[in-house]
Amino acid sequence: MQVIDTAIPAVKRVIPKRHGDDRGWFSETFRADVLAQHGIDIAFVQDNQSFSKPAGTLRGLHFQLAPAAQTKLVRVLSGAILDVAVDLRRASPTFGRHVAVRLDAEGGEQLYVPAGFAHGFCTLVPDTMVAYKVDAYYSPAHDRALIWNDPEIGIDWPVSAEEAILSDKDKRAPRLADLGDVF
């Protein structure tokens, strides 16, 4: 398993090794000891999974406030996504910046998104299934969102505002400038 820094070093690409033969392949998708060697010592408590029928489904940008802030380890079980993490840590030199990584089932790469980041993704193909581990339970009282297409952040999404398939919550989310000091 490889753990590689992204343009924002707190966000990591996690690349499990695949062992293949004529039957297919086997992979360890999570190893606490390997992640700990890279400074990621997290006790995950909940696994989440989403299925998006159409391409262009956009989920996010979501986060939870402390004390229920969540660290996530995201992977794609089928299909492909553009996965995005936005730094909301006010004191961080990368505050307001984002990392965008293509994840797909074929490659098996994962994205580690620490607490203090908003997270979201856009499906690139139909019938995409995403799974992710979190280190804090879902808490409706702490659940928040950031608008997906905030021009201040400048994410190059693969869909336009007219094409994006969004929940009502995600359509109404505030801009970064209106969030206040969340982390």
Side-chain angles (χ1 to χ4, degrees):
M1 180 176 289
Q2 291 180 286
V3 179
I4 302 167
D5 287 349
T6 65
I8 300 175
V11 179
K12 314 263 186 219
R13 291 175 44 216
V14 177
I15 306 170
K17 184 175 183 181
R18 289 187 171 173
H19 308 276
D21 59 25
D22 58 350
R23 300 170 297 163
W25 54 264
F26 167 82
S27 181
E28 294 175 338
T29 60
F30 174 74
R31 288 272 316 241
D33 60 339
V34 173
L35 293 177
Q37 292 169 8
H38 294 274
I40 302 170
D41 193 11
I42 299 294
F44 290 110
V45 298
Q46 180 177 313
D47 281 357
N48 298 329
Q49 188 169 327
S50 71
F51 174 75
S52 301
K53 187 100 179 117
T57 299
L58 206 141
R59 296 180 185 269
L61 300 157
H62 302 150
F63 61 97
Q64 287 190 173
L65 301 173
Q70 293 179 321
T71 294
K72 298 177 180 179
L73 183 61
V74 183
R75 68 188 180 115
V76 175
L77 302 177
S78 64
I81 62 174
L82 180 69
D83 202 27
V84 177
V86 179
D87 192 348
L88 299 181
R89 302 168 301 165
R90 187 67 67 175
S92 169
T94 57
F95 172 76
R97 290 184 33 209
H98 72 279
V99 170
V101 176
R102 185 184 195 280
L103 301 179
D104 60 50
E106 185 176 325
E109 185 173 326
Q110 302 175 49
L111 193 65
Y112 169 81
V113 181
F117 284 75
H119 171 258
F121 62 86
C122 182
T123 60
L124 302 175
V125 297
D127 301 326
T128 293
M129 194 172 308
V130 176
Y132 55 99
K133 296 181 171 304
V134 294
D135 70 336
Y137 297 108
Y138 173 68
S139 171
H142 298 91
D143 186 37
R144 299 291 187 277
L146 170 67
I147 192 73
W148 67 283
N149 60 351
D150 186 335
E152 183 179 344
I153 300 168
I155 300 167
D156 186 16
W157 292 105
V159 292
S160 68
E162 297 76 33
E163 298 168 322
I165 301 165
L166 299 156
S167 70
D168 287 338
K169 169 188 164 182
D170 293 342
K171 288 177 186 175
R172 295 187 317 268
R175 293 177 55 162
L176 182 63
D178 299 325
L179 275 185
D181 190 9
V182 293
F183 290 102

